[in-house]
Amino acid sequence: MPVLTHLDAAGSANMVDVSEKAATARAARAEGAVVMNPETLRLILEGDAKKGDVLGTARLAGIMAAKRTHELIPLCHPLLLSKVRVDCTPDADLPGIRITAEVKVQGPTGVEMEALTAVSVACLTVYDMVKAADRGMRIEGIRLLQKSGGRSGLYEADRA
């Protein structure tokens, strides 16, 4: 059974000590989606949302969130990220917006939480910007797709 590293011997929350770990290249990719009415997607694509550029704002919000993950998730380490990329892709088959984030760092700990936070906040931003048109939107499928680097090596999610 895996050990939960954020709990100490007494079961209390604990920030992991990474001071002895080597700084190595680490990366993570995550995904999520905002499912909406087709009319709401059309509104976004035509640039008619009252709050402005939905996809550009969501992209920027995701990047900013990745950089501030340590302020949002209590036991995350502050990291000097070397790359954050957030893509917001319209998908008529959902209908909605598919969001992916890629984060990289040269450091002693991974960036899975930064990638997941970027996707989560980008999804929330899409919702916020068009909620007046569609309060029934759903945020779905937020998950880690891949992580590399560190002691545990490569992880790739099943393509289910």
Side-chain angles (χ1 to χ4, degrees):
M1 178 188 235
V3 175
L4 298 177
T5 58
H6 284 88
L7 298 178
D8 66 14
S12 298
N14 175 53
M15 187 171 187
V16 175
D17 181 358
V18 297
S19 63
E20 300 297 320
K21 294 172 85 176
T24 60
R26 297 160 188 264
R29 286 188 314 113
E31 72 176 355
V34 184
V35 181
M36 59 192 64
N37 291 324
E39 300 79 30
T40 309
L41 180 58
R42 182 196 53 75
L43 188 75
I44 292 170
L45 295 177
E46 293 177 1
D48 291 336
K50 290 184 179 183
K51 290 189 175 184
D53 177 9
V54 174
L55 302 183
T57 304
R59 212 173 7 260
L60 184 56
I63 292 168
M64 292 172 64
K67 293 167 54 174
R68 300 185 78 162
T69 298
H70 69 281
E71 295 176 13
L72 301 169
I73 310 295
L75 300 175
C76 285
H77 293 84
L79 299 173
L80 192 59
L81 303 179
S82 53
K83 177 181 182 172
V84 180
R85 178 184 172 130
V86 176
D87 292 312
C88 302
T89 307
D91 184 342
D93 292 335
L94 275 177
I97 308 296
R98 292 193 183 278
I99 297 175
T100 59
E102 177 186 8
V103 181
K104 292 183 178 182
V105 71
Q106 180 78 19
T109 188
V111 286
E112 298 96 294
M113 294 308 300
E114 286 74 10
L116 289 163
T117 299
V119 167
S120 299
V121 171
C123 286
L124 288 167
T125 300
V126 169
Y127 184 96
D128 178 57
M129 293 196 67
V130 293
K131 68 183 178 235
D134 186 359
R135 294 205 187 269
M137 288 178 285
R138 296 184 321 273
I139 295 172
E140 297 183 348
I142 296 174
R143 69 181 185 141
L144 181 66
L145 291 174
Q146 184 181 64
K147 67 81 70 196
S148 61
R151 182 180 36 188
S152 62
L154 181 66
Y155 164 81
E156 291 184 315
D158 293 333
R159 286 279 157 193

